[in-house]
Amino acid sequence: MTVIKHMKTKILALAMLCLLSIGSFAQSDLISGKVTDRWGEPVPGALISLVSNPEVRVSTDAYGNFAIGAAVGDQLAIVTRELETTRAEVVDQNDLEVVIDYASKPVNLGFGISQRMAESTGSVSTTSSEEINRSSALSLSNSLYGNALGLTSMQNGGAVWEDYADFSIRGLKTLSNNNVLVLVDGFERSIGTLSREEVESVSILKDAAAVALYGFRGINGVVSVTTKRGRYNSMDIDVSYDHAFTTPLRLPDFANGYTYASAYNEALENDGQPAKYNSYEMDAFQDGTAPFLYPNVDWVNETLKDKGYSNIYNVGIRGGGSKMRYYTLLNLEGNDGFIKDTETNDGYSTQMKYSKANIRTNLDVDLSEKTKAEVNLLGIIAEHNRPGRIHGTLMDNLYTLPSAAYPIKTYDGIWGGNETWTTTNPVAGVQNTGYARSHARSLFADVKLTQDLDLITDGLSGAFRIGYDNYAEFWEGKTRGYQYASDRLGFNNGIPVDTIRTAGGESSDLSFSRSLGTQNRHFNFAANLDYETSFTNSELFTSLIYSQERIVYNGQHNTYNRQNLAGYAHYTMHNKYIADLALVVSGSNRLAPNHKYGFSPTLSAAWVISNESFMQGVSAVDFLKLRASAGMINSDYIPAVNLWEQSYDGGSSYPFTDGFNSYGGIREGRLPTRDFKLERAFKYNLGLDAVLYRGLTITADGYFERRSNIFVPESGQNSAVLGASSAYVNAGIVDSRGIEIGIDYEKIKGDLSYFVGAKYTLTKNEIVEQLEAPRAYDYLKTTGQPVNQLFGLQAIGFFIDEAEIANSPVQQFSAVKPGDIKYKDQNEDGFINEFDVVPMGYNTAVPEAYFSFELGFEYKGLGFDALFQGAANYSALLNTKSVYRPLVDNTTISNHYYDNRWTPENVFAKYPRLTTESNDNNFRNNSIWIADASFLKLRTIELYYKVPKSVLENLRLKSAKLYVRGMDLFSIDGIDISDPEVIGVSYPTSKSINIGVAIGL
Amino acid sequence: MKFKIGIIAFIIAAFSFNACVDEFKVGDNFLEKEPGVDVTADTIFTQAEYARRFLWNTYSNLYYALPSYWNDVDGKMNMGMFETLSDCYHSHLSWDGVNRMYYSGSYSAGLEDSDSHTRFGYNKEEVWQAVRKAWLFIENVDRVPDMTTDEKERLKGEAKVIIASRYFDLFRHYGGLPLADHAWDVNETYENPRATVEETVNFMVNLLDEASATLPWTLDAADISNWDGRFTKAAAMGLKAKILLFAASPLFNDAVPYSIEGPQEAVQSNHVWYGGYKPELWDEVVEACEDFFREVDANGVYGLLQPATDNGLDVTKYDNVYRTAYRDAYSLRGSGGPNPEMLISTRIRYRAGNWDWNYYFPQSSMYGAFTPTQEFVDMFPMRDGSPFDWNDANKVSKIHTERDPRLYEIVLVNGAEYQGRQAELWVGGREAQQGPANEEGQFATGYANYKFVLDFSKNTAKPTLWPYLRVSEIYLIYAEALTKAGRYNEAIASVDAVRERVGLAGLAESNPGLNLQDEESLMNEILRERAIELGFEDVRFFDLIRNKMADRFTTQLHGLKTYRADGLEQSWSDKSASERGERPTEFTYTKFELQKPRRNFWVTGEFNPKWYLSAFPPSEVNKDYGLTQNPGW
């Protein structure tokens, strides 16, 4: 059984347990043996069967021992409970040693096809449940930082319910769509709301051989999640609880009232305008004696606190009898946000709260000897709560409102507010505008039937699977308004003469509103026919797979129908030479008539060098495999619906009549694409998998990809005189290349075990062709540069005085003054303008280098582990309002900017002079604002204690673990004042200390 | 057995529940396009109604000068207008394109690529879109089965005027242009080199001549209320005169090219001039005007909108009558309807969602984007027709009270009726407040724009037409061409016709000290008359550039601070009757140099003639289809 069908294995296991040792061949003897892992630890519950007669099967006991009726020379197949598989040949009757090692690990290609690592020809990395659960993230998507070789997973800002990581695999490869395909149990599903607990493993499918079977969707790589399933004749109950004490990571720090007023006056002076605050007012700000007239409100601290919390509860039951297996999970998660004083209203809270329940049942039922069924259901109920009026704008308000704007409340208890700063008073927004809620429901459901078709011919089997997923979101709000006012002094000759009150807004009762948010549904269908056979010294597995999916999102032109027909063959010779061929025809409703299908051939091969006879004496090398793949994968991405047709749509109407009436118009849309082609990737990969010294695992890949036929608009080449939107043509080409290296060392020695590991990926790309419009200078071209390369002006300091301005090239963006940024004249034409930008930094989305290292040890149940993850060749654009763009448009100023601003006394400053006017010269992409966003973060650090077996037995527990964890505790980077991954106005990212307990019953 | 039944039942159930309502499909059927609501070319030109709508949409690409929405075309120069580059208006809106690129002197060719708020972008004003649509219509309308040949010919004529007018919109900013004489097919190469000024003018004129042959002289009386705005023969003939005037002017028609700076390829190829002075071009203008007036004589309908004497207004208060006539002449619907003077008016979609266009233009007026200068106000004669004179104390005392009625329709001045009271534009007054003192906002020059926006309340309930071409302009075009042809007395008569409509005495009578038999003096009077009759109608700026009046660009412009003679810097009308006393009628006036901002030409005192025309976007030039860059850019 070269390729073991995932489900089938489990079914076999069932049958085996019932018929624990059948000796059906007369000449066989009882062979005894032991299954151990690579450190010599026994592997209980592994299934051992005869390759020549799979119906002869036994399982190992708690000490890894087994006995099976076989003859010398027979091949045994071994499958563990974690679905690791291996082979062993019976050499004599006693003490057969079977080692489950790295090469035995399963590689899941989807569509029921699973291979052991030793036989896989594709580039696939797998992360286990154990690694994922070193994190305490609320979502699976946030638990993969640095965990999976080849997956670039970047943190996102935002509230907990929308804070899911961005994934990319092998960098930016195209100008169109770089999204990776995310699968849960083989179907395209979101993993944002999936809990870590229900996941068995996550595989990253990277090269052509790994993604071939997914047709159009797999072109950018695949993240494939496998959930847990039941086990025969056992029952394990896992209960766990995790509590997080969360703290915002790097809240913004804005100037106090006095500093703000000083900065504003300084900015006005710089602009040649009279001061806004007179000396009386400045004194009042400084001594703070009139807080209602001259306030100093730290809005961030008045609105946000530095403590929140999360809770995660899991109850999982995993087991089965002799004919059915089950895994069921109840997962509850909750998070309370960082908003202060949210309980001031009777009957409701305005906290940013999130709660979610996942209820999963995965069932495997053996309907008969040859017919197996599988039912998987996951229901998710999620809700969140937030303040009423300022949902979505709370953080923006905090990044806008100066400390000196107005007091929280006036002296007579009215909320502060005025006409200059029309943004909602954040404290009033939290306490006095009601609340809003969202309710979301998801259902992931699928059913699979597998039928053994031995009746037709030996080795034939078939299966089909149907799935239906649905997601819907409902919003409701109960909001109300509030009255506001503020007071200021009127002056005569610098002496206060009266108090002037401005007031506005109206206090109102709660009013109700509701709406339906996004909804979508997926229908999935897959069927396959598998045939496996063996010849002398070689084995062949073939599969014919048909699959289709229908995804319907809100709105018109949002239906995606796709289908694939795949022929797959996997050939193994002498256990050394392995070849795979995948021929896939994919169809999609997004594509032009007569071009609805694409054909993707992929060929890959591996050579297991360690199985060669000349390697048998090399004891250092336990396993060594070289692999190579080449394939052509198509995409059904189109930049606009029906782009091959000349479109016409309702254009502007023209008002001939003398009123507001007009006659409707029709207009021509974009010109149609001639010669429609599919975007296409040619993917090449060379890789190596090795295990040395029984513990050192090395995986290395190098790849090249040419993405061609990318749709780009022809407008870059067409004359404007054409007068129509130019067609898209398949002319774009992007080359990308890179390496991925993973090294792990793991050792168990008596009571001590430890591991260290490192992962590194580097990806580079270059736009080869994109029909770019001609540029005045070659260096302005984006062709030849990486996708999304930043461009900017080179700052060479700040102007010291008018004389320097007069003697420098004219900077044409806006009038410059001393303290404004001076730029390098790249083309030496005497003018600084848009022609003086040069490529600068990298891009702001996907870092070119992504790496991590981890270590851990355990001694007598006491353990420690830590994971660091970093990124390099990664840029940030510093343009956050108030933080890097202070004062302009009635914003405030950060202490960071204030301390680093240019003044005549501080000419070697970091940032330009203060101004109250929009300044096109300073605030545009340049070397000051394009910053290096490389970082190294401590993603997880954990100290745990596993209660020893002796104690557990008294407590009737199978296992118990107590831990203290730190999540994202620190980041080393050059940004310093905000999270390098989340720059801009955003709900703060958090760090946390978690305590938890996990008990096995 | 139980299991098998179960399986069969399950399979049947599974195949039937797919997507609830749609049937289960496999193969090609599964990938079919969803039933759509798309319109195709065939739908459009097989039904008259759709074909007409296609043309109506093409109309929506016509030029409309007032800023209206936050998009590139309608937003113009980011709420500004290029008329404020002339000497009649100054923009105090610091973020508009006028300030950022032109007053600052930082305009460069590259900005035509990177900025949407240059004065008239080569590929950002929907000119080429309109041209393509019009050609598509002309080329396809013959396929429409349910439309009469007459209507087809008429609509084709309208499409041709659309092409000509859009070409002219670009021509006056750029000179010669690539000639799009058909709608390019998707399989063609789109290369098309730039044509000479002469070829471009002939292209426009030929289209207008062809259109004149098929268009009705005017709309049917029954159609006016619904269809005014469609092009007529009168519109086509009038536009021809306007185009020929621009072409015959010294910018293109002179012994020397307007700029000798490199690159000179466009000069050498006659893309930006005629290559020498051609007096016969002026004869063509005269001829075009005379053709127009001959048709008017023959067919009637059009003419100057004359003051009504029977409208119930008090004739003794001349401004009621004359002001109303002037306002109606630029704002009422034409085509022989209530306004015989309107030849071409354009409109925009008036609402987007809840946003009334009346938000945007009034808003920019309030921001001070169009503040009239003292130089402009000085151009208006006294109410008797005699010129205003700062040296005449009597005239100065009547500076805001006894002037040409058109002044009050174009510029909001101190004491004018405004929002139900008399406007207080003195420093500290209810309207102006400290605006003139600080040179800020709506009253930064001591005046505010009144035309189109009026007092912010009278003009809100109906669409505001853009007077693209009026009969009074034809009179003044005729006068200018006659002057160039040496027919001075006829020229004066033509100007006087326009003056007479607002009750002013003739040029000669009003200017006894002026030798009007001198081309230069007469031209000055005609240009001054154009500036005030067609004030804020996109005329003055083009008069300056087509006559190469460099000195008007370098001249420092002024505002006026009006002070109450009693020295009080406060409002009168918002005080109670008991405390305010008599309404102030005595004022003192201080002219001041406009400083916020100063224009770069004033600062340097130099004007480079390259500024007369805009630069083509370098990306277009570099596409190498034969677009030569204008000299100096």
Side-chain angles (χ1 to χ4, degrees), chain A residues 134-137 241-249 306-312 335 338 938-943 963-970 990-996:
Chain A
R134 281 184 200 139
S135 162
S136 284
Y241 172 64
D242 182 288
H243 181 87
F245 301 94
T246 57
T247 309
L249 183 79
D306 60 359
K307 300 241 176 325
Y309 62 86
S310 296
N311 284 311
I312 305 174
N335 172 273
F338 298 127
L938 175 58
R939 290 293 188 182
T940 59
I941 182 165
E942 179 187 41
L943 191 65
Y963 61 82
V964 179
R965 245 173 224 172
M967 299 282 299
D968 293 310
L969 286 188
F970 66 81
S990 62
K991 54 187 174 184
S992 65
I993 299 285
N994 300 55
I995 53 169

Side-chain angles (χ1 to χ4, degrees), chain A residues 406-564:
Chain A
Y406 44 74
I408 297 172
K409 282 186 174 177
T410 60
Y411 67 91
D412 50 353
I414 302 171
W415 290 110
N418 61 24
E419 303 301 326
T420 311
W421 287 281
T422 49
T423 49
T424 307
N425 175 336
V427 179
V430 168
Q431 298 185 13
N432 219 87
T433 60
Y435 66 103
R437 281 190 184 158
S438 139
H439 307 268
R441 311 274 183 268
S442 318
L443 172 69
F444 295 171
D446 61 83
V447 179
K448 182 178 178 183
L449 276 181
T450 309
Q451 179 66 45
D452 195 331
L453 299 171
D454 281 354
L455 281 175
I456 301 169
T457 177
D458 249 13
L460 189 69
S461 66
F464 81 87
R465 189 171 173 216
I466 287 175
Y468 186 74
D469 301 342
N470 192 317
Y471 174 82
E473 198 176 16
F474 173 79
W475 297 78
E476 61 177 6
K478 289 183 178 166
T479 56
R480 60 175 171 144
Y482 66 93
Q483 192 194 0
Y484 65 82
S486 66
D487 302 303
R488 66 186 166 86
L489 292 183
F491 285 88
N492 196 353
N493 292 326
I495 297 160
V497 289
D498 55 356
T499 311
I500 301 156
R501 166 156 288 200
T502 51
E506 227 174 286
S507 186
S508 61
D509 292 333
L510 289 178
S511 66
F512 180 74
S513 64
R514 63 178 181 180
S515 63
L516 190 64
T518 55
Q519 60 150 338
N520 58 58
R521 53 196 162 92
H522 292 205
F523 172 77
N524 294 289
F525 175 80
N528 52 331
L529 201 59
D530 300 342
Y531 178 67
E532 46 189 315
T533 183
S534 57
F535 316 99
T536 319
N537 292 327
S538 65
E539 284 144 25
L540 176 68
F541 170 83
T542 58
S543 185
L544 187 66
I545 306 164
Y546 172 77
S547 63
Q548 72 169 45
E549 65 170 9
R550 175 180 173 84
I551 306 178
V552 185
Y553 299 106
N554 286 17
Q556 203 196 355
H557 296 306
N558 262 334
T559 299
Y560 294 76
N561 288 351
R562 297 190 180 95
Q563 57 187 355
N564 287 319

Side-chain angles (χ1 to χ4, degrees), chain B residues 210 428 465 472 509 536:
Chain B
E210 285 170 31
L465 306 183
S472 67
E509 186 187 334
F536 212 56

Side-chain angles (χ1 to χ4, degrees), chain A residues 559-809:
Chain A
T559 299
Y560 294 76
N561 288 351
R562 297 190 180 95
Q563 57 187 355
N564 287 319
L565 185 64
Y568 173 69
H570 178 75
Y571 180 74
T572 313
M573 204 165 94
H574 294 297
N575 281 331
K576 286 182 276 192
Y577 312 111
I578 304 143
D580 286 76
L581 177 67
L583 302 172
V584 183
V585 175
S586 314
S588 166
N589 71 334
R590 311 293 290 172
L591 302 174
N594 306 322
H595 294 85
K596 290 215 178 282
Y597 292 94
F599 173 64
S600 299
T602 301
L603 184 64
S604 54
W607 176 28
V608 184
I609 302 173
S610 52
N611 284 353
E612 291 286 355
S613 54
F614 62 77
M615 290 294 290
Q616 297 311 314
V618 186
S619 64
V621 178
D622 303 318
F623 176 72
L624 178 61
K625 180 180 75 175
L626 283 181
R627 53 190 159 72
S629 70
M632 185 182 93
I633 311 284
N634 300 305
S635 163
D636 66 348
Y637 177 81
I638 46 170
V641 287
N642 302 342
L643 53 74
W644 54 90
E645 286 178 353
Q646 174 63 63
S647 66
Y648 289 85
D649 52 24
S652 309
S653 51
Y654 195 68
F656 287 111
T657 67
D658 190 18
F660 289 102
N661 306 322
S662 57
Y663 297 105
I666 293 173
R667 67 174 178 182
E668 185 190 36
R670 181 189 305 97
L671 294 179
T673 296
R674 292 100 59 193
D675 279 343
F676 182 92
K677 292 181 198 131
L678 299 178
E679 181 175 333
R680 172 175 288 177
F682 293 92
K683 291 172 182 271
Y684 308 93
N685 193 84
L686 267 180
L688 170 153
D689 299 305
V691 181
L692 309 175
Y693 305 108
R694 297 222 143 193
L696 181 64
T697 310
I698 299 171
T699 299
D701 278 279
Y703 66 88
F704 172 78
E705 171 170 340
R706 164 156 287 206
R707 192 67 72 93
S708 58
N709 292 354
I710 303 169
F711 280 104
V712 288
E714 241 178 345
S715 51
Q717 314 257 296
N718 287 348
S719 156
V721 180
L722 173 62
S725 303
S726 290
Y728 284 104
V729 289
N730 296 94
I733 300 173
V734 174
D735 283 349
S736 55
R737 68 204 82 210
I739 52 165
E740 290 149 357
I741 299 169
I743 300 175
D744 291 287
Y745 185 70
E746 238 179 315
K747 187 95 180 168
I748 298 178
K749 203 172 185 181
D751 287 331
L752 176 71
S753 66
Y754 60 91
F755 67 90
V756 292
K759 297 180 174 69
Y760 179 80
T761 66
L762 179 68
T763 167
K764 296 271 184 190
N765 68 77
E766 181 191 337
I767 302 170
V768 177
E769 179 56 78
Q770 59 175 349
L771 298 188
E772 188 175 4
R775 304 277 181 179
Y777 298 90
D778 270 353
Y779 60 83
L780 296 172
K781 280 189 182 156
T782 56
T783 310
Q785 300 288 342
V787 175
N788 292 353
Q789 170 68 47
L790 289 172
F791 279 72
L793 294 151
Q794 183 64 49
I796 50 171
F798 302 102
F799 286 110
I800 294 171
D801 51 26
E802 293 292 347
E804 188 186 3
I805 294 170
N807 292 321
S808 303

Side-chain angles (χ1 to χ4, degrees), chain A residues 113-170:
Chain A
I113 301 171
S114 181
Q115 303 165 347
R116 63 199 196 96
M117 185 59 106
E119 292 179 355
S120 161
T121 61
S123 177
V124 178
S125 70
T126 301
T127 303
S128 68
S129 137
E130 186 191 356
E131 287 167 282
I132 293 164
N133 283 313
R134 281 184 200 139
S135 162
S136 284
L138 290 174
S139 163
L140 172 68
S141 86
N142 290 330
S143 67
L144 298 172
Y145 304 115
N147 257 338
L149 179 61
L151 179 70
T152 300
S153 174
M154 302 295 288
Q155 190 160 348
N156 244 312
V160 172
W161 55 85
E162 58 195 19
D163 173 19
Y164 307 131
D166 286 331
F167 293 156
S168 54
I169 294 172
R170 298 191 163 177

Side-chain angles (χ1 to χ4, degrees), chain A residues 10 13-14 17-18 44-47 59-60 80-82 229-238 316-328 362-364 958 1001:
Chain A
K10 294 177 181 173
L14 149 80
L17 278 170
C18 334
L47 304 181
S59 74
T60 58
T80 71
R81 290 166 59 153
E82 272 68 46
R229 311 205 68 79
R231 292 165 176 157
Y232 286 114
N233 292 334
S234 67
M235 184 168 84
D236 295 303
I237 301 175
D238 290 301
I317 307 171
R318 188 175 196 180
S322 58
K323 291 208 167 186
M324 66 100 75
R325 291 167 293 150
Y326 54 84
Y327 171 70
T328 179
N362 288 352
L363 282 180
D364 294 272
K958 285 180 185 160
L1001 297 166

